[in-house]
Amino acid sequence: MLVCDRIVRRDPSPAAEGAVRLRVALLGYGQVGSAVARLAARSGAGPGAAVDIIGALVRSTASRSACCPLTTEAATLVESGPDVLVEALGGAEPARQIVLSALERGIPVVSANKTLIATHADELLAAAERGGTTLRYEAAVIAGVPFLGTLGRRPYAGACRRIEAVLNGTTNFILSELEAGAPDFATALADAQRRGYAEPNPAKDVSGADAAEKLVVLLRHLGGLNATVSDIPTSGIGGITRPDLVSARDFGGTLKPVAFADWSDGCATAFVGPAFVPATHPLSTLHGADNGIRVYSEHLPPVLFAGAGAGPDVTAATILDDVIEATEATSSANHSASRPAFASPDRRDRDCRPQAARRTSWFVRLESKDPLPAAEIADLFASYGVWVHRTTDWSRRTALPTTWLLTHPCAGTSAHAALSALSSATGCIASRWPSLESGR
Ligand SMILES: NC(=O)c1ccc[n+]([C@@H]2O[C@H](COP(=O)([O-])OP(=O)(O)OC[C@H]3O[C@@H](n4cnc5c(N)ncnc54)[C@H](OP(=O)(O)O)[C@@H]3O)[C@@H](O)[C@H]2O)c1
């Protein structure tokens, strides 16, 4: 294996002699862990520090080659006293237990694992505090775009009150493909799997569960809010069709897999799921597997961070930056960057009860055995305080005659009541998705 050859033959260059050398242990030698080892080997003495991977934890060492010693004994790795432990196992356990034991011993930890951070951040950050060390997780959300650390260190820019984001590349790719002409969801998903954007089992991406975990991490990091995944109303992209995207374009927008949260008035409103995004909104320009987050700060105009959401190589670069920052923070006894500087105790203790009932426009699909008169739909909606802004003609190129509407802003409860009444009165099948504001 070429990279292993390079490790063995690496000749410390004169420039490397005075450089800092970090002994790093890896939990996991899968896509991310092995990419970290390769990048560390390629990078030699810099930038920042020479990183020596002293070992990696795996489930099985049988018949495989690697650039560093592999082990199935987590305790041995932790007890070897690495300068930093990098966690790239995935899932909550055994990652939680191993990371806890490292933090308690004062070993800085860098994690790429959104599930771990979404479910156990409080416990882990408390252990880091007790151990006098730091926990970093920049790669857990939009791995290729370093924004968590930036916002965490900058109290004015980081004083957020709302975020609108595309946090999952697989679903953004699928909806982009449908918009670009893929005939149906299954074709777009198969293409995503062929290109390596989607797992063989894409359920966690397609259902929105992956994005919901990332939103929980963001709510805690940027808003100091104690949310759990079950607090976030989450819907998947499975029901979205190409005609939906064509109609969204007719209304001057598109459909994106959105993660939204607003905590400007104390309690958070949040959702994860497909949403109508006007063409004037920067998230509408994120195509393919790209991710992005628009951050609304109390003190600055909205800022968009966008780029690669995942991929072993970009994730490895972000992890190694975290490794260097973690050791700098630990040696300077400045552990505060492991949590947002502005997340004072009063903010962190605030509970989050996200609710779906926010006031917004709605993108609506109506399917009916027989087309319904537009004026009657508008009248019924108006009786519930829902005003129709745009509507299409009935399409007969779908399984059932179908029309799409865009409403003016109204409460989610009103939209729900209007659509339920219409369904009861006519037997039509109604689906609705929220809209983001124009973003201007
Ligand atoms: N892939 C990406 O682009 C990306 C981007 C950002 C963040 N992440 C996050 O990074 C983490 C790792 O992702 P990945 O894609 O590298 O996963 P992966 O390819 O499945 O690798 C997981 C590694 O962890 C090891 N492992 C898992 N459970 C274990 C256990 N109970 N005991 C010992 N070893 C165990 C596996 O061992 P074996 O090799 O023996 O199976 C494997 O080496 C996840 O949290 C993921 O969400 C991934």
Side-chain angles (χ1 to χ4, degrees):
M1 202 174 166
L2 184 60
V3 177
C4 291
D5 287 350
R6 279 198 205 145
I7 289 184
V8 173
R9 290 189 206 130
R10 195 172 64 195
D11 211 357
S13 64
E17 275 171 15
V20 179
R21 297 201 80 86
L22 298 175
R23 297 170 66 254
V24 170
L26 293 175
L27 301 181
Y29 197 80
Q31 291 193 61
V32 172
S34 61
V36 170
R38 284 195 301 274
L39 183 56
R42 271 207 315 274
S43 302
V51 173
D52 296 322
I53 306 296
I54 60 171
L57 179 73
V58 290
R59 274 180 287 233
S60 164
T61 59
S63 52
R64 61 197 288 181
S65 63
C67 303
C68 61
L70 299 182
T71 177
T72 56
E73 296 297 323
T76 317
L77 264 189
V78 175
E79 282 159 17
S80 69
D83 293 317
V84 181
L85 185 75
V86 168
E87 188 272 308
L89 291 174
E93 297 290 358
R96 173 186 150 274
Q97 286 193 21
I98 306 169
V99 167
L100 269 180
S101 79
L103 292 170
E104 301 274 11
R105 286 165 178 260
I107 299 169
V109 173
V110 170
S111 176
N113 183 344
K114 71 219 159 236
T115 307
L116 177 69
I117 305 301
T119 49
H120 295 295
D122 272 351
E123 187 184 18
L124 299 176
L125 288 168
E129 207 138 312
R130 281 195 303 279
T133 189
T134 186
L135 168 70
R136 311 248 153 183
Y137 45 86
E138 182 74 63
V141 184
I142 318 189
V145 181
F147 70 100
L148 284 178
T150 303
L151 294 176
R153 281 188 298 274
R154 304 181 75 83
Y156 289 94
C160 304
R161 55 186 167 77
R162 187 195 325 172
I163 50 180
E164 295 165 349
V166 171
L167 300 177
N168 183 276
T170 305
T171 48
N172 195 29
F173 179 84
I174 290 171
L175 294 188
S176 299
E177 286 293 288
L178 283 174
E179 185 172 33
D184 54 39
F185 187 88
T187 307
L189 172 60
D191 196 12
Q193 287 170 321
R194 210 170 21 251
R195 295 177 191 224
Y197 294 142
E199 302 280 337
N201 178 358
K204 201 167 169 182
D205 294 323
V206 170
S207 68
D210 172 87
E213 285 186 343
K214 292 169 178 168
L215 186 58
V216 166
V217 174
L218 293 174
L219 278 166
R220 173 171 301 281
H221 190 92
L222 300 176
L225 293 155
N226 293 316
T228 64
V229 166
S230 60
D231 290 326
I232 312 279
T234 299
S235 59
I237 62 161
I240 303 291
T241 64
R242 172 159 166 74
D244 292 330
L245 281 144
V246 171
S247 301
R249 191 166 52 204
D250 290 345
F251 292 158
T254 185
L255 298 178
K256 289 285 174 198
V258 166
F260 173 95
D262 185 311
W263 57 95
S264 47
D265 59 359
C267 202
T269 304
F271 72 83
V272 163
F276 179 81
V277 179
T280 48
H281 193 293
L283 290 187
S284 73
T285 63
L286 298 178
H287 298 300
D290 273 0
N291 284 197
I293 178 167
R294 194 161 204 242
V295 176
Y296 295 76
S297 147
E298 284 168 27
H299 309 291
L300 301 178
V303 182
L304 178 75
F305 296 86
D313 292 336
V314 296
T315 307
T318 296
I319 286 175
L320 286 182
D321 275 340
D322 260 2
V323 163
I324 291 163
E325 284 200 359
T327 49
E328 286 169 359
T330 305
S331 61
S332 69
N334 169 20
H335 316 132
S336 61
S338 60
R339 62 176 51 181
F342 54 84
S344 58
D346 60 316
R347 294 189 69 154
R348 286 182 52 74
D349 286 349
R350 247 175 18 188
D351 270 351
C352 171
R353 293 282 173 270
Q355 289 155 25
R358 94 191 164 91
R359 200 176 164 78
T360 185
S361 300
W362 296 88
F363 179 76
V364 175
R365 178 176 69 205
L366 298 176
E367 298 162 276
S368 172
K369 208 151 59 63
D370 300 304
L372 309 169
E376 285 180 25
I377 296 172
D379 282 351
L380 184 142
F381 275 29
S383 68
Y384 286 85
V386 180
W387 305 97
V388 176
H389 175 47
R390 304 278 302 271
T391 183
T392 66
D393 290 337
W394 284 81
S395 167
R396 290 181 181 273
R397 285 174 303 192
T398 43
L400 284 174
T402 306
T403 188
W404 289 264
L405 321 168
L406 192 62
T407 73
H408 284 287
C410 64
T413 45
S414 306
H416 177 74
L419 291 176
S420 296
L422 186 67
S423 296
S424 302
T426 66
C428 76
I429 305 165
S431 312
R432 71 185 159 101
W433 296 275
S435 169
L436 297 184
E437 289 160 23
S438 75
R440 283 206 174 99

